Amino acid sequence: MPPLPTAPVPSWNPRIVCYFQTYHHNGEYVSLLPLITNPSGVTHVILAAIHVNWDPEKLTLNDDPPDHEKYTQLWDEIVVLQDSGIKVLGMLGGAARGSFARLDYSESRTDVPLARFETYYAPLRDMIRKYGLDGLDLDIEEEMSLPGVIHLIDRLKSDFGRHFIITLAPVATALMAGRPHLSGFDHKLLEAARGSSISWYNAQFYNGWGGMHTTDAYDEIVRNGWPPEKVVAGMLTNPRHGGSGYVPLELSAAVLSLLVERYPTFGGVMGWEYWLSLPQEQHCWMWAYSMALCMGMKKVRDAAIIVSMRRNMASMNLGR
């Protein structure tokens, strides 16, 4: 692979967000530790996907309870990541519908009592507390009312405090004027009402909802009034992850370099997902590292140089 183009050093460090859903492959756990034992540049990891099911006591992480023994190593590693400065969030919802329908409450709805919301919300709150998550990503791919999402955000902030990170994961067209999307409410109205409580938007620029093969889709979002620092550009890390819209690293590198130059407070990138990330599927951390280089993150360049020097010195010593 030819060298990736690098952007000028930005005035601030963009976010590099890795979604993590495939926790096991061929019966073996997929470790997150390479993100900290290498100069990956990752700032946030989002664990997918938490589901609020019809039985409120049967909250699941993917298909199993969060306390299932298959997740023991995951929760142990999360503590290590957090101790290393990486923030870890949970992702609620996604393609599997139902979570947000069960949490959709507002005072104006006479058909949904507050007690129903509390019944479904309590296990989610307890899970966040038990595992010490730094925040929650709301991936709303079903109809939800604007008052309902506002109520959920307000409750999370009330329970976990102002430093608790709340993000949303809309398809990119949801941030464009008059374009179709999946969430059922107007994101501009939500931003006007609760923008101070939303850290950023992990916008999905794939599967036909806007692409990252050029800057056009991101530019359209900025023209629609969204501040670049709140829009993280989401992309697939491998075409094998399903859907469409994968952009090869060489091209996405060029696009990211332009975005960083055009928008000094560019919000960063997110990748779906950590497992099998290119450019080397067996070294998942390298996708984040490549993104950091593309966006000109000086601390990652410097760390890479130090690691390379140490390895060369160790090799020289072994050769004596």
Side-chain angles (χ1 to χ4, degrees):
M1 186 178 74
L4 297 175
T6 57
V9 177
S11 57
W12 76 316
N13 281 323
R15 306 173 190 92
I16 299 181
V17 181
C18 284
Y19 279 82
F20 187 31
Q21 182 173 43
T22 305
Y23 302 112
H24 299 84
H25 179 61
N26 291 335
E28 294 187 4
Y29 173 71
V30 180
S31 177
L32 288 167
L33 295 184
L35 291 173
I36 58 175
T37 56
N38 297 282
S40 70
V42 163
T43 58
H44 300 80
V45 169
I46 301 180
L47 308 178
I50 303 168
H51 301 300
V52 176
N53 298 302
W54 66 270
D55 182 342
E57 296 304 320
K58 292 187 177 180
L59 188 83
T60 54
L61 178 61
N62 290 336
D63 299 323
D64 298 283
D67 60 359
H68 191 285
E69 61 182 10
K70 69 189 295 183
Y71 296 131
T72 299
Q73 190 170 348
L74 170 68
W75 298 123
D76 289 343
E77 288 191 358
I78 291 309
V79 175
V80 179
L81 261 66
Q82 291 173 322
D83 288 344
S84 300
I86 297 174
K87 300 295 186 183
V88 180
L89 294 73
M91 187 198 93
L92 177 65
R97 295 178 169 233
S99 295
F100 293 102
R102 296 178 181 107
L103 294 169
D104 193 354
Y105 167 80
S106 67
E107 293 181 356
S108 62
R109 290 191 62 176
T110 57
D111 59 322
V112 179
L114 178 58
R116 181 178 184 271
F117 170 86
E118 297 291 347
T119 299
Y120 282 111
Y121 173 78
L124 173 65
R125 177 201 62 208
D126 294 345
M127 176 199 170
I128 294 169
R129 284 177 176 164
K130 179 176 180 178
Y131 297 106
L133 297 178
D134 296 300
L136 193 66
D137 180 60
L138 308 180
D139 187 356
I140 307 172
E141 299 187 18
E142 60 182 297
E143 289 289 321
M144 189 177 194
S145 69
L146 180 61
V149 68
I150 288 174
H151 179 264
L152 177 58
I153 290 171
D154 287 349
R155 185 58 182 274
L156 288 167
K157 283 293 186 180
S158 174
D159 285 342
F160 296 103
R162 62 188 184 89
H163 294 298
F164 188 75
I165 300 169
I166 296 176
T167 60
L168 272 79
V171 295
T173 52
L175 306 183
M176 302 174 187
R179 300 285 291 275
H181 59 91
L182 302 172
S183 305
F185 56 85
D186 188 319
H187 284 76
K188 287 296 288 288
L189 292 178
L190 175 62
E191 177 68 12
R194 289 297 184 274
S196 61
S197 296
I198 300 170
S199 296
W200 71 85
Y201 296 82
N202 293 301
Q204 301 177 42
F205 286 81
Y206 48 88
N207 289 348
W209 300 105
M212 284 295 291
H213 55 288
T214 71
T215 66
D216 292 351
Y218 197 95
D219 292 336
E220 183 175 344
I221 289 172
V222 175
R223 285 196 301 270
N224 194 34
W226 291 93
E229 61 269 20
K230 294 202 74 169
V231 182
V232 170
M235 60 189 74
L236 298 173
T237 62
N238 190 318
R240 293 170 62 183
H241 288 155
S244 61
Y246 172 76
V247 180
L249 277 173
E250 294 86 347
L251 179 54
S252 60
V255 172
L256 289 174
S257 297
L258 287 172
L259 289 172
V260 169
E261 185 175 2
R262 187 170 297 166
Y263 306 112
T265 58
F266 174 62
V269 296
M270 72 84 163
W272 182 273
E273 63 160 322
Y274 172 69
W275 173 66
L276 286 188
S277 294
L278 293 174
Q280 294 187 25
E281 292 179 348
Q282 69 273 31
H283 299 299
C284 306
W285 67 272
M286 290 190 69
W287 177 85
Y289 172 66
S290 300
M291 295 298 104
L293 292 181
C294 295
M295 295 187 292
M297 292 177 68
K298 184 177 184 297
K299 67 177 183 179
V300 173
R301 291 185 188 176
D302 294 346
I305 292 171
I306 293 171
V307 169
S308 178
M309 290 174 61
R310 287 175 177 170
R311 288 175 177 170
N312 288 338
M313 291 175 66
S315 177
M316 291 171 62
N317 290 334
L318 287 172
R320 289 179 180 176

